Amino acid sequence: MTNIQIQSEQEFTYDGRVGAFLFICGPIVSVLGYAWLLNELTSSYASSADLAPPFVVMAAGGVALLIGCVMMLIGRTYRHVVTVQQSDRAADPQAMRDGR
């Protein structure tokens, strides 16, 4: 009888680690941009406020999140170790016929 055991590991490459960083920091940047936008809208000079920079910061955070997802998917390496063990039972045809 043959016993096969496979152990697999995965690691992030440099691109994968950068992707994980963007995946974590993208939403944080978006929240900061949203807080900035709320601050601009609630200020007493809201009619003269420039709203473009907060929207750019929010969009940059969203794009960083999406790019981070893709980089985490492609930035991986896999390592597999396959171990094959033959048992003595397979070498004995009489034991296989008897079901031992």
Side-chain angles (χ1 to χ4, degrees), residues 43-59:
S43 69
S44 60
Y45 301 106
S47 62
S48 64
D50 186 16
L51 301 180
F55 280 117
V56 169
V57 171
M58 289 172 41

Side-chain angles (χ1 to χ4, degrees), residues 9-74:
E9 296 178 358
Q10 77 170 4
E11 289 182 338
F12 281 130
T13 61
Y14 176 76
D15 290 338
R17 287 191 296 268
V18 170
F21 176 78
L22 291 174
F23 182 77
I24 298 297
C25 292
I28 295 170
V29 170
S30 291
V31 166
L32 292 175
Y34 185 68
W36 184 11
L37 177 67
L38 289 179
N39 187 30
E40 289 291 323
L41 290 174
T42 58
S43 69
S44 60
Y45 301 106
S47 62
S48 64
D50 186 16
L51 301 180
F55 280 117
V56 169
V57 171
M58 289 172 41
V63 169
L65 173 74
L66 295 175
I67 291 173
C69 288
V70 172
M71 289 179 73
M72 282 194 310
L73 287 175
I74 63 172

